[in-house]
Amino acid sequence: MKNVCLFLDSPFTEEACEKNSDVFTSSSSFQQRLSYSTLGDLALALIDGTVYEIVQGLLDIQHLTEKNLYNQRQKLHCEHQALKQDLVRKHKDALQSCKSHNLALLKSNQQAELEALEIRVREEQRMMDKKIVAEMDQKVIDQQNTLEKAGVPGFYITTNPQELTMQMNLLELILKLQQKESQSGVL
């Protein structure tokens, strides 16, 4: 496939296009799905560097959100571990002070208590995971909305997996271009 230069209709020189050509050759199947018009519109959107700043800001927000959600899940996990340890300690103490004729009943009650805790833990973990997925889904919508409002071609609110993959590829391309330009001192 012939290399596509993002800057065909922009003030960038042919030399700049050739210098950035390796950014595009790694994603040839992705390029085949983008029209020249979309590539040209993307080039125009990237000219002043604002889109790079927006993408970097969105990336920073995403990383903070992911870290926060991870910390929340870890906190819940630690709380569950503490609950389990407390229950095991309580059960051990009860077993030591239990009369032999009550031992079978005590063990049965302890088993039921342990199973109830395990059910509670699983449910709370499931609810936390559901909350995390919902928050990350909302982040994706917020990112799509922000990029659409910024005029970045290919961005609009969608849940279609193929369109999401295309948007992720566009973001990867934008980040590669940003990295390439910052290395060459253009930004």
Side-chain angles (χ1 to χ4, degrees), residues 6-13 17 40 43-44 47:
L6 230 186
F7 309 111
L8 287 176
D9 298 316
S10 72
F12 291 93
T13 64
C17 291
L44 291 173
I47 286 176

Side-chain angles (χ1 to χ4, degrees), residues 11 20 23-24 31 75 83 106 121 135 141-142 159-160 170:
N20 289 313
V23 172
F24 304 106
Q31 288 173 353
K75 181 182 175 197
L83 286 172
L106 178 64
V121 164
E135 263 191 69
I141 291 168
D142 294 346
T159 56
N160 179 301
L170 277 169

Side-chain angles (χ1 to χ4, degrees), residues 127-160:
M127 294 301 289
M128 174 61 78
D129 291 345
K130 196 173 177 178
K131 175 189 171 211
I132 288 171
V133 168
E135 263 191 69
M136 292 309 298
D137 285 348
Q138 185 58 51
K139 275 294 166 231
V140 169
I141 291 168
D142 294 346
Q143 291 171 344
Q144 291 170 331
N145 189 39
T146 299
L147 292 166
E148 181 180 25
K149 286 180 178 176
V152 181
F155 285 91
Y156 45 88
I157 295 173
T158 182
T159 56
N160 179 301

Side-chain angles (χ1 to χ4, degrees), residues 82-133:
L83 286 172
K84 287 178 185 178
Q85 289 172 355
D86 288 346
L87 187 61
V88 167
R89 194 175 307 113
K90 178 184 152 196
H91 286 177
K92 187 177 179 181
D93 292 345
L95 282 172
Q96 288 177 349
S97 64
C98 182
K99 305 273 188 231
S100 61
H101 65 279
N102 291 332
L103 195 57
L105 180 61
L106 178 64
K107 285 184 177 183
S108 175
N109 288 343
Q110 287 180 341
Q111 183 63 32
E113 210 175 358
L114 185 61
E115 288 172 5
L117 179 61
E118 288 173 356
I119 289 170
R120 174 184 162 195
V121 164
R122 275 195 307 273
E123 181 61 20
E124 287 178 4
Q125 285 175 337
R126 188 186 68 74
M127 294 301 289
M128 174 61 78
D129 291 345
K130 196 173 177 178
K131 175 189 171 211
I132 288 171
V133 168

Side-chain angles (χ1 to χ4, degrees), residues 13 22 33 40 49 59-60 62 65-66 82 97 109 117 119 125-126 129 142 149 171-172 174 184 186-187:
T13 64
D22 63 318
R33 294 181 294 215
L59 191 58
D60 292 344
Q62 179 177 326
T65 302
E66 289 170 350
S97 64
N109 288 343
L117 179 61
I119 289 170
Q125 285 175 337
R126 188 186 68 74
D129 291 345
D142 294 346
K149 286 180 178 176
L171 280 174
E172 185 179 336
I174 291 168
S184 66
V186 173
L187 281 178

